[in-house]
Amino acid sequence: MTETPSNRLGDRIFSGLALAAGLSILVALTGVFAFLLIRGWQGLSQDASFYDAPRANDFLHYVWPLVFGTVYAAVIALVIAVPLSIGIALVISHYAPRRLATPIAYVIDLLAAVPSVVFGLWGILVFAPAMVPTYGWLDDHLGFIPLFAGNEGGGVNPVGRTILTAGIVLAIMVLPIITSITREIFAQTPRLHQEAALALGATRWEMIRYAVFPYARSGMVSAVMLGLGRALGETMAVAMVLSAGKSLVTFNLLGNESSTTIAANIASNYKEGTPGKVAVLIATGLVLFVLTFVVNFLARLIVARAERNTTR
């Protein structure tokens, strides 16, 4: 079919709009980075009096425990959320009957619409107190493992506001994101591949393992990395659930003193901060921005490599 001038004009308009949309994202990211760098540059060289943390005499020693806590809470969330998300996605796409799969999918999607502050309130008022007996059992029976050891004087956090509680709340928050993406990827697996595997005598699990997972590998990685990005940047829920305390590097999950995250530290200290401390907090925000960018860059690299291996 011969293209008319109006069709070519429409293509150019659409191409221009798409290019402008893509460039606007880059401009926004550049603007955020420039703001954080300009406003936080002073915080990179403040003296020790501006760092409200033990043994923090420079910015590196101040931000390192916060980076550790941010990554630690996100890892806890992913360890819990990824298996659950993949399992729920498989149930919805391959196991449950349609009359049951549809409402389950709706409920999972609705979780993504719940505000962070609601998760935070639920975590601090309901979930954390309910987990105290479980934490006590872990301390009594698995206390020889440093992860589950309680306080030095014995016992666990009496109100349950620990890094483990924050990680579980984060897992519930990222679960609908990972589940929704993996569910759509599983559903796009070519029907012929699945039927061929079943025709060769494979069980349903073997069909999923050898036909669905290889096809969906890159999408699964993308879903996990998107969930990781959400967990790294979550603010209100973590700030509300974690007990206010010092920034520490510790793997302990149940004690009074635990790590905190960059976003929670900013939310907790920004309002009362002096100009010097605010500059320090903005500088930690710059670190979080760079950390999130690196995570997304690595995700794209992993996905691209997985796609190349699949096409070979």
Side-chain angles (χ1 to χ4, degrees), residues 219-235:
M220 293 165 64
V221 172
S222 298
V224 172
M225 289 302 175
L226 188 60
L228 176 59
R230 169 70 188 275
L232 288 174
E234 180 53 44
T235 304

Side-chain angles (χ1 to χ4, degrees), residues 198-210:
L198 294 173
L200 291 173
T203 62
R204 182 173 295 186
W205 166 245
E206 289 173 336
M207 177 271 292
I208 292 172
R209 181 180 176 184
Y210 293 109

Side-chain angles (χ1 to χ4, degrees), residues 142-184:
L142 300 176
F144 59 91
I145 302 175
L147 288 175
F148 303 113
N151 304 315
E152 292 184 1
V156 298
N157 189 297
V159 292
R161 297 175 63 182
T162 67
I163 190 70
L164 180 57
T165 303
I168 295 174
V169 172
L170 281 177
I172 297 173
M173 295 179 70
V174 304
L175 186 143
I177 298 174
I178 302 175
T179 300
S180 297
I181 297 175
T182 51
R183 182 187 74 222
E184 295 300 325

Side-chain angles (χ1 to χ4, degrees), residues 26-76:
L26 295 178
V27 170
L29 288 175
T30 303
V32 172
F33 178 78
F35 166 80
L36 294 174
L37 183 63
I38 295 171
R39 295 291 300 274
W41 184 258
Q42 181 185 0
L44 298 175
S45 57
Q46 294 284 9
D47 55 57
S49 62
F50 289 94
Y51 303 117
D52 186 19
R55 298 181 297 277
N57 52 11
D58 57 24
F59 180 76
L60 180 61
H61 288 86
Y62 174 75
V63 76
W64 159 240
L66 299 175
V67 173
F68 172 83
T70 301
V71 176
Y72 192 34
V75 169
I76 294 172

Side-chain angles (χ1 to χ4, degrees), residues 5 23 33 70 77 84 111 124 133 163 188 223-224 249 274 292 295 312:
L23 291 177
F33 178 78
T70 301
L84 286 176
L111 283 176
I124 191 175
I163 190 70
Q188 292 176 12
V224 172
V249 177
T274 62
T292 307
V295 167
R312 287 178 181 176

